[in-house]
Amino acid sequence: AIILEDDCLPHPTFFRFCTELLNRFRDDKRVMAISAQNLQSGSSRTEYSYYFSLYNHVWGWATWRRAWQHYDYTMTIWKTVRDGEWLRDVFGDREAADHWRGILEKVDSGRINTWAYRWSLACWSQSGMTILPNVNLVSNIGFGPEATHTKTAYAQLANMPVEAMEFPLQHPPFLIRDSRADHYTFEKYYRPQLLARARSAVKAWVGSLQR
């Protein structure tokens, strides 16, 4: 299947990109999904057409029945993964693991309502990776006050430019996660969330002292 979220506009080459890789990795259980998103700010992380990541961005993506069968909306395995601190083994980074532990805990308790983080847990629980293109192939044009989730009109992810994927695809001769690209994604897009929460906590603490 090839899936597009609401208000996500792909470059036309996204469909050929997905089709070719759906066929190429059809039976390779190490790969759980193919994504249209590239969040490397225009930097080429590889000489190939794509790289492998832990982040299964879902504004435009594709997957197989064999991968989706691991999706569990009830997150049955979450407490086992959490209590065993398995996310630290997945990420190899304590800060990233702790960040996603907090996110998944909120999803499990109902404080965050989204299917996408549940899908991330399913992928990570299988040590699965996602194929990310070396150029950005999708733009979310639905940011704004009337949006369901993307209400911030000037968020850094809004209306990102897209580029054409060049063919024939240049395939990497290995299947190894690009940890440097993932680290960049965490530092640029997820760490600011941590800092914002920390600032909010400090403001709340200061406010409590003044009352």
Side-chain angles (χ1 to χ4, degrees), residues 3-204:
I3 304 103
L4 286 172
E5 281 290 288
D6 294 346
D7 303 317
C8 292
L9 185 64
H11 191 279
T13 57
F14 162 68
F15 298 100
R16 181 178 173 184
F17 177 71
C18 286
T19 299
E20 291 193 16
L21 294 179
L22 282 170
N23 289 326
R24 183 180 182 88
F25 292 95
R26 183 183 188 92
D27 300 314
D28 194 328
K29 295 182 179 180
R30 296 172 295 177
V31 181
M32 294 288 281
I34 303 159
S35 176
Q37 284 176 267
N38 179 293
L39 302 182
Q40 301 300 303
S41 302
S43 297
S44 294
R45 298 295 179 180
T46 173
E47 61 186 292
Y48 307 107
S49 300
Y50 56 90
Y51 66 94
F52 301 96
S53 171
L54 288 176
Y55 292 121
N56 56 323
H57 307 305
V58 295
W59 284 351
W61 59 292
T63 192
W64 305 262
R65 181 195 302 268
R66 61 151 176 86
W68 188 253
Q69 69 180 346
H70 297 289
Y71 184 79
D72 177 13
Y73 188 85
T74 62
M75 297 174 61
T76 306
I77 64 171
W78 166 238
K79 290 181 174 59
T80 300
V81 172
R82 179 197 64 194
D83 296 344
E85 298 187 348
W86 291 109
L87 288 182
R88 294 189 183 182
D89 294 293
V90 170
F91 285 94
D93 182 302
R94 178 172 181 170
E95 190 172 16
D98 290 348
H99 168 76
W100 288 108
R101 170 178 172 153
I103 294 292
L104 292 169
E105 191 69 11
K106 290 180 180 179
V107 175
D108 186 53
S109 65
R111 288 175 286 168
I112 294 178
N113 179 23
T114 176
W115 63 271
Y117 290 146
R118 293 174 168 89
W119 173 227
S120 294
L121 176 62
C123 294
W124 296 334
S125 72
Q126 300 302 309
S127 295
M129 289 184 285
T130 294
I131 291 172
L132 299 186
N134 206 28
V135 295
N136 186 50
L137 294 174
V138 69
S139 182
N140 190 325
I141 60 174
F143 279 73
E146 297 181 355
T148 302
H149 297 294
T150 54
K151 294 182 182 296
T152 306
Y154 299 102
Q156 54 187 334
L157 291 173
N159 303 304
M160 293 181 67
V162 298
E163 299 180 47
M165 176 60 66
E166 294 184 2
F167 296 92
L169 294 178
Q170 301 300 311
H171 302 283
F174 48 78
L175 204 161
I176 303 172
R177 171 201 172 201
D178 191 328
S179 59
R180 289 177 297 177
D182 280 358
H183 180 72
Y184 177 86
T185 298
F186 178 77
E187 291 291 320
K188 183 172 178 63
Y189 296 101
Y190 299 125
R191 182 187 289 278
Q193 298 177 19
L194 294 172
L195 295 176
R197 288 200 297 270
R199 285 194 293 267
S200 295
V202 170
K203 287 181 180 178

